[in-house]
Amino acid sequence: MNSEQVQLPAAVSIRNLYKAFGTNPVLRSFSLEVAAGENVAVMGKSGSGKSVLIKCIIGLETIDEGDLVVLGKSVPGLSPRELDLLRADVGFQFQGSALYDSMTVRENLEFPLRRHQEKMKGLRTDDLVQEALSSVGLLHAIDLLPSELSGGMKKRIALARTIIMRPKLILYDEPTSGLDPITGREISRLIVDIQKQYRAASIVITHDLACARITGNQLVILSEGRNYVQGTFDEVAGITDPVVHSFFT
Amino acid sequence: MEKTTQRTVRLGFMVILAVTVFTVTVYLIGQKQDLFRQTIVVSVQFNNVNGLQAGNNVRFSGINVGTVVAVTILSDSVIEVKMRLRESVRPFIKKDAVASVGSDGLMGNMLVNISPGTPAAAPIENNDRLRAFSRIKTDDILQTLNMTNENAAMLTHNLLAVTEQIQHGEGTLTYLLYDSNLRLDLAGSIKNLRLAVHQTNTLLANVQHIVKQAEQGKGMVGWLLTDTTTAGQVAQTLAHLDRTSARLSQASDSLSSFVSRLNRDPGLVNALLRDTTIKTDFQKTLRNLNESSVKLNENMEAMRSNFLFRGYFKKKEKEAKKEQGNN
Amino acid sequence: MINVLRNFFLTTGQISQFTARYWREVWFPPYEFQELLKQCFFIGNKSLALVGTTGFIMGIVLTLQTRPTLIEFGAQSWMPAMVGIAIVREIGPVITALICAGKVGSGIGAELASMKVTEQIDAMEVSGTNPFKFLVITRVTATMIMIPALVVMSDVISLLGSAMVENIKGGVSFTLYFSKVLEFLDFSDLIPSIIKSFFFGFAIGIIGCYKGYTSSRGTEGVGRTANEAVVIASLLVFILDFIAVLVTDIFYEL
C-alpha cells in the first residue's frame, strides 16, 4: 500500500470523518482510501449518510472532524478559489441528474466550461460537447430541453456533463435510481466504460446491487456511520454478518 | 447549529428593532423637524389663540423657525403658548419682539407670528416670555369690512343718482354745467361791468372838471358857492335834510330793533308764516283772481259771438285755414 | 406564541443575512451579465402585458370613481392633476410591485426552490459557478432594474386609460389631458416614487430568492415556497411604502 501511495497519490483519503446535523451524527469515524483509477462502490441504507459522504468530498458539506484529502488537497482548509480549482478535477453525478431545466442539452454541457476555461485552454467548446455527447451516445439530443428527455437519457446527459471537464475523480450519487433494471445496467456499463476511457477514479453511491457489482472494484458497506465492511464484491458477498447479509437478499 | 440559529434569531430581532426605531424616528422628524436641532423654548401669553394647537408652525418674519409645543390655560383669560424655536434664529429675535396669532391663508392652519423687535434690544434667552399682540379676530375684521362696504355701497348709490340727474338735466349743477344762456349772460354781465367802469371813469373826469370850474367860481356850482342869498336857502334845505335823515335814522333803528326781535324770537316769523287765516286769505285772493280771469274769458267769448265782431273773427279763421291749405 | 415570535425573528434574521450577502457579493466578479440580461428580459417582458393591463384598468377605474365627486365640486378640470398624482406617487408603484410580487416573486421562488430540490444549485456549485452570483444576484438585480421600468410603463398606461375616460366622458383631448398632467407633476412626485420602486424590486427579488434558495422540503416545498414568497414580498412592499412615504415627507414636505 505504501509503495503505491508514493507512486500514485490516492484520489481520496478519508480518516475518522465525523459529520453531524444538529445533534444527530450521520458519519462517525468513517475512513476510506480510494487509489487513483480505482472504482469504489459504496452501499448503505437510506439515510445512512452515503450522499453526505460524497458531498463532503466535493465540499458541498463541511465536515466537523477528521481528515479529508482529495487529489492531494485537504478539503476543509481550502479557500473558495482553491475549492473551485479542485472541483474542476472532480465530476459529480447527482441523483436526480440535476440538469438545468431552463437550458438546452448543449447549454447544460457548456455550463461547467464557463468557469474552468484555464483548464480547457486550447480546446473548442463545441468539440468538447460533441465528444462528451458521443461518449454517452446521445449526439442527436443536443438541442433538446431536459423536459423532453426520458429518465435514462437525463442520466446519460448528466454523465456527459460530468465528464466534459475530464475529471480525475468522478462521484456518482445513485446513478441508477428511478430507472428500470435494464436501463440501470446500461448506465452501470457506461460508467465502467467512461472510467476506462478517462482513467479516472470513481466513487459510486448506490443501493442497487447490480450497479455495485458492475461498477465497483471495491465494495464498501456504510452502516452506523462508519466503514462497516470493505472488500471486493465477492469478498463482501461472502460475509455472513447480518447487516452485510441484508444487502444481498 | 443551535448556536447559529440562536444568533440568527437575535439578528432578526435586532433588524426588526432597528427598522422600527428608524420608522419612528423618521416619523418624528417628519412631524417636527426640530428633533435633532438645538432649540430654545419661549412662551407667550394670549387672551385668545383662535384654535392654535400644539404642532402649529411659528414664523419669524415669514420664515418657519419652530413649532408650538403646548397650549395651556393659565386662567380664564390667559392662555400660555410654549414654542420651540431653532437656536440659530435666537440672535435675531429681540427681547421686545411681539408674538401674534395668525393664520396661514383663509382656510389654512393657525400659526404664531413673531415680529423682530427693535434692533438695539438684546436677543431673547431660553424660557423668555415674549409680548403678545392680540390681533382682531377675523370675524371682527370681516364685520368692520362689512360696514365699510355698506357705506361705500350707499355712497356710490347716491353718487349714481346725482350723476344721473346731471345727465338728465336736473338741478343747479346741471344748469351751471350745461346751460349756454347762462354763459352768455355771464359774458354780458362782465361786458356791462366793464362799460360801467368806463362810464364811472368819464363821470369822474366830469366831476373833476366841475370841481375845477367851481374853484374858479364859474358854472352852477361856482355860482352856488359864491352867491350869498342862495346860501341861506341852501342852509335851510340842509337843515330840512338833517331832520329828515334823523327821522330816517330813527326809522332804521326801530326797523333794526324789530329785526333783532325777530332774530331773537323766530317763533314770531313762524307764526306769521303759519298763520292759517293769512293762508286762507291768500287762497281766497287767488280764487278770486281765477274767477275774474274765467269771467274775462267769458266776456271774450261773448264778444266773439257779438255780431259786430263776428266778421273780424271769421276772417281770421279763414286766413288760418288758407295757410294750412298752402302748407 | 413564543415559538411564533422566534420563528418570525429567525426568518427576519435569515433574510437580513441573505440581504447582507447580496450586498457583499454584488460588487465582486465574476459578473453574470448574460444571465442578468436574460432575467431582465424575462421579468420585464413577461410582466409587461399583465402590468400594462392592470395599470390601464386602474387608470380607468380611478377616473370613473372620482369623476362624480369632482364634478360635484365643479372641479373636473382637476381630474388630470388628481389622477396623475395618485397614480405616479402611489398607485402605479404599489400596484405594479404587488403584481410583480405575485408573478415575479413567486416565479423566482418556485424556480429556485425546484432547482434546490433537484440539486441543480449544488450542481452549479460543483461546476465552479457560484450559484449565489449566478442565480440570486442576477435575479435580484434584474427585479431591481425592471420594477422601476415597469412602474414607469404602468404609470403611462394608467394615465392613458384615465385620459381615455376623460376623452369619452368629458370631451377632453389627449393633448390637453397630458399637458395638464405634466403641468401638475414635478420631479418631487416622480423621483421618490422611482426610488421606492427600486426598493420594491429589491424586496421582491430578495424574498423570492431567499425563499427558493433556502427551500428544503422536497417537491411539495416548491409550492409552499412560491406562496410564502408572494405573501412576504407583498407585505414588505407595503411596509417599504409606508417608510418611503415618511422619508419622502421629510425631504419634500408633501
Side-chain angles (χ1 to χ4, degrees):
Chain A
M1 284 295 276
N2 277 347
S3 59
E4 217 179 272
Q5 264 185 338
V6 171
Q7 261 186 337
L8 272 171
V12 179
S13 167
I14 304 169
R15 276 197 202 101
N16 299 324
L17 180 67
Y18 180 89
K19 171 76 185 170
F21 289 106
T23 52
N24 176 33
V26 178
L27 296 173
R28 30 190 160 187
S29 188
F30 182 88
S31 298
L32 177 68
E33 290 279 337
V34 179
E38 190 182 19
N39 263 8
V40 176
V42 177
M43 287 182 77
K45 288 190 287 189
S46 294
S48 59
K50 302 174 306 231
S51 294
V52 173
L53 173 65
I54 55 169
K55 282 185 179 170
C56 285
I57 292 171
I58 197 78
L60 285 174
E61 299 279 1
T62 52
I63 63 171
D64 296 333
E65 275 169 42
D67 296 327
L68 172 57
V69 179
V70 178
L71 300 175
K73 285 166 184 156
S74 174
V75 174
L78 290 179
S79 71
R81 179 84 193 120
E82 290 167 328
L83 192 59
D84 265 358
L85 283 174
L86 174 64
R87 280 168 178 171
D89 286 335
V90 181
F92 196 110
Q93 164 95 338
F94 287 90
Q95 191 171 353
S97 308
L99 297 177
Y100 308 124
D101 295 323
S102 56
M103 304 178 194
T104 64
V105 168
R106 183 202 298 275
E107 286 165 340
N108 261 289
L109 293 187
E110 285 170 352
F111 195 84
L113 298 171
R114 300 166 61 247
R115 283 284 153 248
H116 293 302
Q117 273 161 3
E118 60 270 40
K119 186 186 174 191
M120 292 295 154
K121 216 176 281 169
L123 293 168
R124 283 183 56 229
T125 307
D126 270 356
D127 294 341
L128 286 168
V129 171
Q130 300 268 343
E131 182 194 311
L133 274 180
S134 57
S135 300
V136 297
L138 277 176
L139 255 179
H140 60 277
I142 189 160
D143 286 322
L144 296 180
L145 282 168
S147 54
E148 297 166 312
L149 302 173
S150 70
M153 286 163 88
K154 278 185 189 169
K155 294 266 184 196
R156 286 170 186 229
I157 301 293
L159 195 54
R161 192 177 66 184
T162 307
I163 60 173
I164 200 163
M165 292 298 297
R166 301 189 175 167
K168 293 174 185 145
L169 170 68
I170 306 176
L171 308 170
Y172 299 92
D173 190 0
E174 307 269 11
T176 59
S177 74
L179 299 176
D180 60 281
I182 299 160
T183 318
R185 217 170 297 137
E186 281 174 22
I187 297 289
S188 302
R189 294 218 179 89
L190 193 59
I191 290 170
V192 174
D193 289 348
I194 283 174
Q195 199 261 336
K196 281 178 185 154
Q197 188 182 342
Y198 289 91
R199 278 193 278 284
S202 64
I203 299 175
V204 181
I205 303 288
T206 185
H207 56 251
D208 178 6
L209 205 58
C211 174
R213 193 178 62 226
I214 295 169
T215 55
N217 311 124
Q218 290 271 311
L219 178 62
V220 172
I221 302 287
L222 175 60
S223 184
E224 296 160 14
R226 61 190 174 89
N227 193 341
Y228 198 77
V229 173
Q230 183 172 3
T232 61
F233 186 84
D234 293 331
E235 280 170 18
V236 174
I239 293 171
T240 49
D241 184 279
V243 177
V244 178
H245 195 66
S246 63
F247 285 96
F248 293 91
T249 48
Chain B
M1 198 70 186
E2 198 52 31
K3 221 172 161 186
T4 45
T5 310
Q6 200 58 42
R7 252 211 312 262
T8 311
V9 170
R10 265 211 298 276
L11 172 69
F13 181 73
M14 290 309 289
V15 167
I16 293 286
L17 198 73
V19 169
T20 312
V21 167
F22 174 75
T23 310
V24 169
T25 313
V26 159
Y27 175 74
L28 287 178
I29 292 173
Q31 274 291 297
K32 28 183 124 180
Q33 309 243 328
D34 303 327
L35 196 66
F36 295 124
R37 293 195 197 123
Q38 286 213 307
T39 57
I40 55 167
V41 174
V42 294
S43 67
V44 58
Q45 295 183 348
F46 291 107
N47 298 330
N48 184 343
V49 292
N50 295 345
L52 190 76
Q53 289 173 325
N56 278 133
N57 283 328
V58 177
R59 286 195 185 155
F60 169 70
S61 304
I63 309 161
N64 280 337
V65 293
T67 51
V68 172
V69 183
V71 179
T72 43
I73 304 174
L74 292 187
S75 73
D76 55 356
S77 63
V78 179
I79 293 153
E80 190 185 51
V81 175
K82 269 200 161 64
M83 300 170 288
R84 193 176 286 280
L85 307 182
R86 291 211 301 264
E87 166 72 32
S88 55
V89 295
R90 196 176 65 85
F92 305 106
I93 305 179
K94 308 296 182 189
K95 287 249 187 207
D96 58 352
V98 176
S100 64
V101 176
S103 93
D104 199 357
L106 262 185
M107 315 226 303
N109 287 318
M110 303 308 294
L111 48 82
V112 176
N113 278 313
I114 298 176
S115 38
T118 51
I124 49 165
E125 303 289 337
N126 199 7
N127 293 323
D128 264 1
R129 188 192 299 164
L130 298 178
R131 286 190 298 152
F133 170 74
S134 298
R135 185 174 282 185
I136 319 161
K137 276 194 285 183
T138 328
D139 281 357
D140 299 343
I141 296 170
L142 284 179
Q143 229 158 7
T144 320
L145 258 174
N146 196 23
M147 285 269 283
T148 317
N149 247 337
E150 269 171 16
N151 290 345
M154 249 152 67
L155 206 70
T156 47
H157 185 77
N158 291 346
L159 216 65
L160 189 72
V162 171
T163 44
E164 236 163 40
Q165 275 181 353
I166 290 170
Q167 243 168 6
H168 294 140
E170 292 162 33
T172 325
L173 207 58
T174 323
Y175 193 63
L176 275 172
L177 282 173
Y178 291 101
D179 196 65
S180 49
N181 290 334
L182 186 76
R183 213 170 53 228
L184 288 176
D185 284 355
L186 264 170
S189 305
I190 289 167
K191 209 186 275 171
N192 290 344
L193 209 70
R194 208 183 293 149
L195 208 68
V197 168
H198 184 69
Q199 280 169 352
T200 315
N201 274 348
T202 50
L203 192 73
L204 277 175
N206 289 343
V207 168
Q208 225 168 7
H209 181 69
I210 291 166
V211 168
K212 224 181 248 169
Q213 278 182 335
E215 271 175 6
Q216 291 160 358
K218 287 181 211 162
M220 181 69 166
V221 178
W223 175 71
L224 272 177
L225 289 172
T226 48
D227 195 52
T228 40
T229 48
T230 37
Q233 287 171 347
V234 167
Q236 228 176 341
T237 316
L238 278 176
H240 279 290
L241 253 170
D242 200 25
R243 243 178 288 146
T244 319
S245 74
R247 250 182 245 157
L248 251 171
S249 165
Q250 236 174 354
S252 100
D253 271 355
S254 52
L255 195 75
S256 165
S257 73
F258 174 69
V259 167
S260 63
R261 244 177 76 206
L262 271 178
N263 276 348
R264 269 200 308 274
D265 187 4
L268 203 66
V269 186
N270 282 351
L272 270 172
L273 288 174
R274 284 189 190 165
D275 195 331
T276 41
T277 54
I278 295 173
K279 215 160 107 188
T280 42
D281 281 356
F282 193 65
Q283 275 175 343
K284 252 183 218 159
T285 318
L286 273 176
R287 211 176 296 143
N288 292 345
L289 245 167
N290 246 356
E291 270 171 16
S292 46
S293 71
V294 168
K295 275 175 188 157
L296 190 73
N297 257 357
E298 274 173 6
N299 288 345
M300 284 295 282
E301 282 295 314
M303 219 156 78
R304 215 193 260 185
S305 47
N306 191 292
F307 73 101
L308 278 174
F309 295 99
R310 205 193 285 156
Y312 169 77
F313 277 109
K314 267 196 179 153
K315 204 171 151 199
K316 259 241 152 117
E317 265 174 41
K318 260 182 201 160
E319 273 175 7
K321 266 185 190 165
K322 208 172 161 187
E323 253 179 29
Q324 268 186 341
N326 283 349
N327 288 345
Chain C
M1 180 60 208
I2 286 176
N3 230 1
V4 170
L5 214 62
R6 194 188 131 92
N7 275 339
F8 173 69
F9 287 135
L10 182 63
T11 311
T12 313
Q14 282 167 345
I15 292 173
S16 310
Q17 284 172 339
F18 202 74
T19 309
R21 189 173 167 196
Y22 171 86
W23 288 114
R24 263 203 315 275
E25 295 200 11
V26 71
W27 316 109
F28 304 108
Y31 307 114
E32 307 284 358
F33 283 120
Q34 202 89 42
E35 181 69 8
L36 176 66
L37 283 179
K38 195 170 145 190
Q39 290 301 327
C40 282
F41 172 75
F42 274 133
I43 292 165
N45 192 45
K46 288 195 170 170
S47 310
L48 186 57
L50 188 65
V51 165
T53 313
T54 327
F56 191 65
I57 292 172
M58 275 313 297
I60 290 177
V61 169
L62 193 68
T63 311
L64 284 176
Q65 296 280 41
T66 42
R67 251 185 89 78
T69 318
L70 281 185
I71 284 174
E72 211 169 291
F73 285 111
Q76 340 34 337
S77 63
W78 281 72
M79 181 67 87
M82 207 214 82
V83 172
I85 283 176
I87 284 172
V88 169
R89 272 196 190 164
E90 202 53 47
I91 293 172
V94 171
I95 294 282
T96 307
L98 287 179
I99 297 258
C100 289
K103 184 170 165 57
V104 178
S106 68
I108 291 174
E111 188 190 6
L112 292 201
S114 73
M115 287 182 84
K116 175 85 178 174
V117 167
T118 57
E119 295 179 305
Q120 289 176 47
I121 292 179
D122 284 341
M124 252 175 215
E125 188 155 4
V126 169
S127 308
T129 297
N130 183 342
F132 193 86
K133 278 193 196 300
F134 188 81
L135 298 173
V136 175
I137 287 181
T138 53
R139 279 165 176 75
V140 174
T141 311
T143 51
M144 221 159 67
I145 295 168
M146 292 318 286
I147 300 287
L150 285 171
V151 165
V152 172
M153 288 288 208
S154 162
D155 285 353
V156 171
I157 293 172
S158 290
L159 288 176
L160 265 176
S162 172
M164 200 189 74
V165 173
E166 280 293 283
N167 190 318
I168 292 168
K169 287 217 154 194
V172 176
S173 75
F174 281 86
T175 321
L176 175 64
Y177 188 93
F178 278 99
S179 60
K180 277 213 153 189
V181 167
L182 292 179
E183 182 189 328
F184 277 100
L185 286 178
D186 52 27
F187 283 114
S188 68
D189 296 313
L190 192 63
I191 289 173
S193 107
I194 296 295
I195 290 173
K196 78 179 171 191
S197 309
F198 276 105
F199 283 96
F200 292 167
F202 180 76
I204 291 166
I206 207 91
I207 295 298
C209 288
Y210 162 74
K211 275 287 160 191
Y213 208 71
T214 57
S215 164
S216 60
R217 273 161 305 193
T219 330
E220 55 104 30
V222 174
R224 188 119 53 105
T225 298
N227 183 18
E228 281 171 358
V230 173
V231 171
I232 297 178
S234 306
L235 189 69
L236 260 185
V237 164
F238 279 111
I239 293 171
L240 284 173
D241 190 46
F242 173 63
I243 296 173
V245 168
L246 289 180
V247 173
T248 313
D249 200 35
I250 291 179
F251 285 110
Y252 285 100
E253 296 207 18
L254 296 175

